């Protein structure tokens, strides 16, 4: 995938997504200037609309009219459901039983049929739905169209802050970091791109250190409060991550929740734990000096958890 693929994706999704701003973090340390990229402002509250609209929009019309199937712990589910509604096609979404209720209900509100499944069974149940419906699979990260759609975030960062030094991106399945990293490395070649993931789901950090994908069992990854970061990279996304990431920073559960609170109180941005890991990494102070952008990937936090975090 190239930056031209990402530019093409930007043209396709322009009518459906918000071009999110870079918000200066005036409360951050003056010696380490910080900007927030709030993908919480997207129509479904997360960056996933970018990849979903590009993938669905790129389907041949004869295929698209049969509908789409997706599997997701939440934000991709909502994004595909929303894209399907806009295109007037059916959507069947497979979600784990432990998915936050607010994300399940939000997906249903877009008109999708939600099928709940046991942990680790998403792909299998989705394959069964594909066989029954004849629809097209829109995976959460393992597809060039999805990666290119997410890469449009990197285009916007490069346009708004061409002198950026560091970009911090959450890592789970790797589609977001792969796309953003590809765009940044092409347009801001001196910038560094760092993936960020929870210590309790640090499979990407271990895989990059080993030079090959390392499997973490589902129950091990599911320990983290950052429910959107419990997936593992595919062969496709991992190959991209090896090329575009300058490193992976891991953060603790306490650091993640502290970052959720900081974003709410200082940036007035509601972030889910998965979206706040970049700020947690910035706070850890493990970055080289320079102008830093944190991608806040989503804001679909469970209300009860948000109340607990804000209560301190």
């Amino acid at each position: 995938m190239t930056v031209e693929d990402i530019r093409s994706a930007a043209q396709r999704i322009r009518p459906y997504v918000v071009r999110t701003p870079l918000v200066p973090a005036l409360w951050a340390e003056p010696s380490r200037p910080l900007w927030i990229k709030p993908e919480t402002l997207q129509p479904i509250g997360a960056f996933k609309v970018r990849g979903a609209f590009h993938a669905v929009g790129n389907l041949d019309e004869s295929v698209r009219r049969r509908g789409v199937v997706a599997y997701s712990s939440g934000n991709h589910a909502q994004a595909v459901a929303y894209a399907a509604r806009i295109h007037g096609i059916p959507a069947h979404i497979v979600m784990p039983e432990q998915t936050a209720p607010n994300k399940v209900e939000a997906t249903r509100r877009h008109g999708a049929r939600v099928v709940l499944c046991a942990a680790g069974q998403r792909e299998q149940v989705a394959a069964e739905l594909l066989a029954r419906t004849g629809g097209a699979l829109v995976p959460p990260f393992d597809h060039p169209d999805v990666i290119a759609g997410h890469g449009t975030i990197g285009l916007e960062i490069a346009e708004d802050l061409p002198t950026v030094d560091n970009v911090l991106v959450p890592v789970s399945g790797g589609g977001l970091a792969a796309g953003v990293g590809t765009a940044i490395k092409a347009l801001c070649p001196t910038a560094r791109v760092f993936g960020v993931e929870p210590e309790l789901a640090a499979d990407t950090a271990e895989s990059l250190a080993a030079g090959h994908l390392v499997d973490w069992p589902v129950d091990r990854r599911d320990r983290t409060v950052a429910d959107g970061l419990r997936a593992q990279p595919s062969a496709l996304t991992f190959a991209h991550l090896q090329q575009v990431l300058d490193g992976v920073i891991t953060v603790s559960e306490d650091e993640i929740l502290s970052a959720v609170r900081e974003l709410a109180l200082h940036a007035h941005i509601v972030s889910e734990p998965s979206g706040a890991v970049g700020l947690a990494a910035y706070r850890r102070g493990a970055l080289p000096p320079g102008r830093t952008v944190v991608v806040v990937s989503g804001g679909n936090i469970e209300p009860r958890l948000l109340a607990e975090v804000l209560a301190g």
Side-chain angles (χ1 to χ4, degrees), residues 116-146:
L116 298 177
C117 69
Q121 299 298 309
R122 300 186 312 175
E123 291 88 342
Q124 178 184 328
V125 175
E128 294 168 359
L129 281 171
L130 281 170
R132 285 208 305 269
T133 66
L137 179 67
V138 182
F141 49 85
D142 190 27
H143 195 289
D145 287 345
V146 173

Side-chain angles (χ1 to χ4, degrees), residues 52-138:
F53 269 103
H54 187 228
V56 173
N58 233 7
L59 291 171
D60 183 87
E61 177 60 29
S62 64
V63 174
R64 186 166 57 232
R65 70 169 64 103
R66 295 199 296 267
V68 291
V69 174
Y71 52 86
S72 165
S73 60
N75 288 332
H76 180 66
Q78 294 177 62
V80 173
Y82 175 52
R85 191 187 86 191
I86 294 298
H87 283 282
I89 59 175
H92 304 268
I93 312 294
V94 181
M95 306 181 79
E97 292 169 341
Q98 68 268 35
T99 301
N102 63 312
K103 293 184 177 181
V104 174
E105 289 309 310
T107 303
R108 287 180 172 142
R109 281 198 300 271
H110 290 301
R113 177 195 173 209
V114 174
V115 179
L116 298 177
C117 69
Q121 299 298 309
R122 300 186 312 175
E123 291 88 342
Q124 178 184 328
V125 175
E128 294 168 359
L129 281 171
L130 281 170
R132 285 208 305 269
T133 66
L137 179 67
V138 182

Side-chain angles (χ1 to χ4, degrees), residues 260-309:
V260 171
R261 190 171 192 273
E262 182 174 346
L263 284 166
L265 297 182
H266 295 285
H268 314 295
I269 292 171
V270 173
S271 172
E272 59 194 275
S274 304
V277 295
L279 180 60
Y282 169 87
R283 279 295 173 215
R284 176 166 278 201
L287 292 172
R291 295 167 289 272
T292 299
V293 170
V294 165
V295 177
V296 179
S297 56
N300 294 315
I301 186 172
E302 197 171 4
R304 184 173 60 181
L305 176 58
L306 178 61
E308 292 173 358
V309 170

Side-chain angles (χ1 to χ4, degrees), residues 47-48 71 73 76 122-123 139-143 146-147 150 169-179 196-198 201 203-204 207 213 221 226-242 245 274 297:
F47 76 98
K48 290 285 191 177
Y71 52 86
S73 60
H76 180 66
R122 300 186 312 175
E123 291 88 342
F141 49 85
D142 190 27
H143 195 289
V146 173
I147 296 171
H150 297 337
V169 191
V171 175
S172 181
L176 174 61
V196 188
E197 62 184 352
D203 51 282
T204 302
S207 295
L213 284 169
R221 289 177 272 125
D227 60 309
L229 303 182
R230 293 171 178 168
Q232 297 186 115
S234 65
L236 174 64
T237 57
F238 185 67
H240 282 80
L241 298 180
Q242 288 180 302
L245 289 188
S274 304
S297 56

